[in-house]
């Protein structure tokens, strides 16, 4: 099964996590900086929820490790942190 990490759990990130998990083709992890109500139902579907600060390069490096795909569903103001981290991963 392919591993994907989704950064951001707003409407787009949560919907993507749900649909990808239901496809049974991905092991889905979802990262956000705070818990929200959608996390409970996503966890029940098998989505791994990770809480942390995406602007922290050490945290971001840790959560990206081991994933084949990254889906960025964060606000555009966080793009620099995400692009830098993904670029460093190769």
């Amino acid at each position: 099964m392919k591993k994907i990490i989704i950064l951001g759990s707003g409407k787009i990130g949560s919907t993507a996590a749900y649909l990808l998990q239901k496809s049974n083709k991905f092991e889905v992890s979802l990262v956000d900086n705070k818990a929200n109500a959608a996390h409970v139902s996503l966890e029940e579907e098998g989505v791994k929820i990770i809480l942390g600060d995406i602007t922290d390069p050490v945290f971001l490096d840790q959560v990206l490790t081991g994933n084949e795909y990254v889906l960025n569903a964060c606000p555009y103001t966080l793009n620099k942190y995400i692009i830098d981290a993904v670029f460093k991963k190769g």
Side-chain angles (χ1 to χ4, degrees), residues 49-86:
I49 306 297
I50 303 168
L51 298 178
D53 182 4
I54 289 174
T55 65
D56 176 355
V58 174
F59 169 76
L60 200 49
D61 181 66
Q62 290 173 343
V63 297
L64 293 177
T65 298
N67 288 284
E68 297 171 70
Y69 302 99
V70 177
L71 190 155
N72 177 12
C74 289
Y76 75 94
T77 55
L78 298 175
N79 284 349
K80 180 191 180 318
Y81 302 102
I82 296 164
I83 291 168
D84 287 346
V86 171

Side-chain angles (χ1 to χ4, degrees), residues 5-84:
I5 190 159
I6 300 171
L7 306 174
S9 67
K11 291 178 185 175
I12 294 171
S14 294
T15 301
Y18 176 79
L19 293 172
L20 289 167
Q21 185 68 27
K22 289 303 252 184
S23 77
N24 293 317
K25 295 180 182 178
F26 294 92
E27 182 180 323
V28 181
S29 297
L30 183 64
V31 178
D32 205 38
N33 63 337
K34 60 185 177 210
N36 70 46
H39 292 167
V40 175
S41 60
L42 289 169
E43 282 182 312
E44 290 171 357
E45 294 293 334
V47 174
K48 179 181 179 183
I49 306 297
I50 303 168
L51 298 178
D53 182 4
I54 289 174
T55 65
D56 176 355
V58 174
F59 169 76
L60 200 49
D61 181 66
Q62 290 173 343
V63 297
L64 293 177
T65 298
N67 288 284
E68 297 171 70
Y69 302 99
V70 177
L71 190 155
N72 177 12
C74 289
Y76 75 94
T77 55
L78 298 175
N79 284 349
K80 180 191 180 318
Y81 302 102
I82 296 164
I83 291 168
D84 287 346

